Amino acid sequence: MNAAPLPPVAPEVTATLVEHLPPRLRKRLDAAVTKLGARPRHRDGDTVTIVVDDETELRLHAPGGVVATVDDIICGCLLAPACVHRAAAACAAPTADPAPELADQPPRAVPEPASATDSAPPPDSVSSPEVASPAQRAAADALWSAGAAVLEAGVDGAGAVAQSALLRAAHTARLRHLPRAAGAALSVVTLLRAARAGDPSYRTADLVTALAELLGTAHRVGTAYGAELAAVRGRARRPYSPDGSLRLYGLFTEPVVTDSGHGGVRTWVATSEGRLCTVGDVAPGGVGRALGVADRAVRLGDSALTHRELGRAGLAVSGATVSPDGRLGAGKGVRAVSARGAAWTEQPLASLWETPPSEQAVRALRSTSRYADPDGGGSDLLFLDVELLGAVRESGGACLLARCEGDIPVRLAVADDNPALAHRDNLMLLATAPGTRLRIIGRLVPAPHPRLILLACSHPTGEGTIDLGLDRLRRADLPDPAAPVYPAPPQPGGAGAHSPLYLLERRVEQTVPAGRAALGMLGDVTTEARRIRRAGLPTAAGLLTALVTSAARRDRDLFGRLLPVDTDGFATSWLTAARYTAAVAESLCAAAWEPTREGPAAAPPAPDQWPERAMAKTVQG
């Protein structure tokens, strides 16, 4: 019998089934989810059948690919429909995206006068700025409470019941036109399930980011107004706006392979004004599909160019539509014909390399920020002229060291280690040619030292370009091996290279697996706080102390009885620390890209000059 994958289940279906369980069955729900996941199942059309035991079958009916109602899950046991099997099946299945009809409805404009509980608008603002409606604030409060409960319990304690509370809050938020916070809640649920299932692709840092995004967005709903409120609400769908006629120049094509089994390519192009756009084709299929799609025609108008060809050619597009993050739409009204491309040394592409590296890094950080506005646009790519220095070993493997404008040492890492792709082989071959000068394109990796994921480069012979994930260099393509060998590459330095910020970061991360109680048992952190303060980060030291103190605090009433835990207070302390560490890490990353100064001033900045000021404003509103 085939182990057919379970169909996605709408969030409100899972929440409803769990809520209707009696308390005694809720206690058995997590065990039932584990047991049901190991049972055989098969698909017949739109229905997936799970064999519960020798006499009982459970059916999930998914017309259109999604289990949309509670009646679509049918169990044949004697206790049905009030059995634990239906809820367990819903909890074991992936969470479906929100219904399209909800996404299509425009958000309600509900202008209200600012009350005592709302942030007062600045004096020069309009007289009656738009603020969140009472229903939206209530939905945000429910999201905050559900997220704080997950933080309180940790991954180990956030089972199906806690997840269903998040799903219910996410569904309500979606109905109240808060798609950004609802999406963050669904991400938390997905990551919790991955963590509890032992998924090898799960990373605690991802759950930290998702939880902080959920709590931070939910908190801001009640205080934001005007344009900030629009950003906090977010968009249910990526909007594509008309952009008229565009002249596009190909830059490069990168393979895309995801942990979820999807594969494809993304081709980067630039407009005549230097604005970056992408044309993608990603679908289920993994690395094999990524390699195959590279030689398929681009889905844009009537163009017959393949993705590889577009990365080096051009397009003239009429009726173009573009999303805020630069994705080109492929609607019926789009027309495209092949046109002449441009070399990286010719305009308009050459202008991409004329911006100083430090300015490019700051721009890229705005798009790579863990808590960036989803509609903020921008790109995380850097365009550099570099001189290769050689390979340097790291804990995760070797990478390539290069020097760019301003005498900045940059570490160039592999985008994907899959042996079917050319990334690793190309990078290691380039490492054998120190002294080679190349024009490169890389993706910024936020780190305390300059670091990029290498995606494309000019050909070492000076003719053409190389898509480093798809094209394979040969040793004959490199300069004479008798080229001078440079001394051992320098180790990364700068203000953030040895920052003790990790002492706060690890406490933020430790909370997520085991919850508040585990952090509360740490005891005295005075030594760690003193070390952080000596390094010039007094705010970080204060946040560490406040976080651990909040985790351990248990107040008593007048009779000496323990009062309930202050879940909201701990969540606020944790959120502040999480957002602070992200902001400081990004600031240190930007500082590392500043040009190296000559003379005595070339030493790293003193600790009291580290870019910590203004980092304390991590939770707005």
Side-chain angles (χ1 to χ4, degrees):
M1 193 171 290
N2 296 327
L6 295 176
V9 177
E12 63 273 21
V13 171
T14 304
T16 300
L17 289 172
V18 174
E19 289 165 358
H20 287 175
L21 287 177
R24 64 180 181 83
L25 291 183
R26 287 192 186 187
K27 294 178 181 179
R28 296 168 47 190
L29 183 55
D30 288 327
V33 171
T34 302
K35 183 177 179 180
L36 206 63
R39 299 301 299 168
R41 53 183 183 264
H42 66 274
R43 176 182 293 275
D44 182 10
D46 292 334
T47 301
V48 174
T49 300
I50 303 175
V51 180
V52 179
D53 54 40
D54 294 340
E55 300 178 353
T56 306
E57 289 185 343
L58 180 90
R59 293 187 297 277
L60 290 85
H61 184 53
V66 174
V67 177
T69 69
V70 293
D71 294 332
D72 288 333
I73 303 180
I74 304 170
C75 183
C77 75
L78 295 176
L79 295 178
C83 62
V84 73
H85 302 132
R86 298 171 71 218
C91 292
T95 301
D97 291 332
E101 58 269 19
L102 297 180
D104 291 337
Q105 298 176 12
R108 299 174 184 174
V110 189
E112 298 178 358
S115 66
T117 59
D118 294 320
S119 292
D124 58 348
S125 67
V126 293
S127 57
S128 182
E130 182 185 7
V131 297
S133 68
Q136 287 177 327
R137 289 196 289 270
D141 289 343
L143 282 170
W144 170 275
S145 298
V150 169
L151 194 63
E152 171 72 19
V155 170
D156 296 340
V161 174
Q163 294 167 25
S164 71
L166 267 174
L167 292 175
R168 171 62 69 195
H171 177 61
T172 303
R174 180 71 60 169
L175 293 176
R176 300 293 181 265
H177 305 291
L178 298 174
R180 179 175 177 178
L186 295 182
S187 296
V188 171
V189 171
T190 300
L191 289 166
L192 282 173
R193 290 177 176 177
R196 293 173 64 86
D199 188 331
S201 66
Y202 166 77
R203 295 172 61 250
T204 300
D206 292 338
L207 185 51
V208 169
T209 299
L211 267 172
E213 168 70 7
L214 168 62
L215 294 171
T217 304
H219 184 77
R220 291 171 61 195
V221 167
T223 60
Y225 55 87
E228 184 188 356
L229 177 60
V232 171
R233 282 175 175 160
R235 296 180 183 269
R237 284 184 171 180
R238 181 180 296 106
Y240 284 84
S241 56
D243 209 350
S245 298
L246 294 176
R247 181 68 168 86
L248 304 176
Y249 299 86
L251 278 164
F252 72 101
T253 299
E254 62 171 320
V256 178
V257 181
T258 69
D259 293 332
S260 61
H262 288 65
V265 295
R266 182 188 299 115
T267 298
W268 290 82
V269 297
T271 67
S272 53
E273 296 81 25
R275 179 161 54 104
L276 298 181
C277 299
T278 60
V279 183
D281 185 348
V282 179
V287 68
R289 187 178 189 279
L291 295 172
V293 168
D295 293 312
R296 294 183 190 174
V298 174
R299 297 176 181 175
L300 193 65
D302 303 321
S303 171
L305 291 174
T306 67
H307 280 274
R308 284 181 191 262
E309 293 169 342
L310 177 57
R312 297 174 173 86
L315 278 180
V317 183
S318 62
T321 57
V322 186
S323 70
D325 61 357
R327 300 191 189 195
L328 291 165
K332 295 181 180 179
V334 179
R335 298 289 182 269
V337 296
S338 302
R340 178 185 176 277
W344 287 3
T345 54
E346 299 174 352
Q347 295 298 343
L349 300 186
S351 61
L352 297 171
W353 278 265
E354 294 172 358
T355 304
S358 58
E359 294 182 22
Q360 293 191 52
V362 170
R363 180 202 64 208
L365 275 170
R366 287 197 292 268
S367 66
T368 61
S369 172
R370 302 179 206 174
Y371 312 107
D373 179 357
D375 291 335
S379 165
D380 56 0
L381 299 184
L382 268 67
F383 303 83
L384 305 177
D385 289 306
V386 302
E387 178 184 8
L388 303 184
L389 299 181
V392 60
R393 294 192 177 278
E394 297 182 322
S395 57
C399 70
L400 176 60
L401 194 73
R403 180 166 48 224
C404 70
E405 178 187 341
D407 201 27
I408 302 171
V410 182
R411 294 193 172 205
L412 306 176
V414 172
D416 194 316
D417 266 317
N418 192 309
L421 301 176
H423 290 295
R424 172 63 65 181
D425 292 343
N426 284 335
L427 186 137
M428 290 297 95
L429 195 57
L430 289 173
T432 66
T436 303
R437 296 181 181 274
L438 296 175
R439 179 158 279 194
I440 68 169
I441 302 176
R443 178 166 289 119
L444 178 71
V445 178
H449 55 270
R451 188 179 186 87
L452 297 179
I453 291 174
L454 189 58
L455 299 173
C457 69
S458 58
H459 199 284
T461 62
E463 299 180 2
T465 60
I466 298 293
D467 295 337
L468 289 167
L470 299 171
D471 305 326
R472 289 190 179 272
L473 285 167
R474 299 172 300 173
R475 188 165 296 278
D477 295 325
L478 301 178
D480 188 339
V485 178
Y486 284 70
Q491 296 298 312
H498 307 290
S499 168
L501 186 65
Y502 77 92
L503 295 172
L504 177 59
E505 289 176 326
R506 72 178 181 182
R507 299 309 183 194
V508 169
E509 288 201 2
Q510 282 175 347
T511 307
V512 172
R516 177 198 57 79
L519 192 67
M521 293 188 294
L522 287 177
D524 187 21
V525 291
T526 302
T527 301
E528 293 182 6
R530 186 182 300 116
R531 180 180 172 187
I532 296 174
R533 187 172 285 105
R534 282 202 305 265
L537 296 169
T539 303
L543 290 175
L544 174 62
T545 301
L547 177 63
V548 176
T549 301
S550 177
R553 180 181 295 125
R554 290 298 306 272
D555 295 330
R556 297 178 180 270
D557 61 16
L558 294 176
F559 299 98
R561 295 171 299 192
L562 284 174
L563 294 173
V565 174
D566 184 7
T567 304
D568 289 344
F570 175 68
T572 300
S573 296
W574 182 88
L575 174 61
T576 305
R579 295 296 295 264
Y580 169 88
T581 56
V584 173
E586 290 164 10
S587 182
L588 291 173
C589 176
W593 283 90
E594 291 295 331
T596 302
R597 292 167 291 183
E598 298 179 356
D608 59 1
Q609 296 175 330
W610 286 9
E612 192 203 35
R613 63 183 185 279
M615 292 299 104
K617 57 172 187 177
T618 54
V619 183
Q620 299 182 12

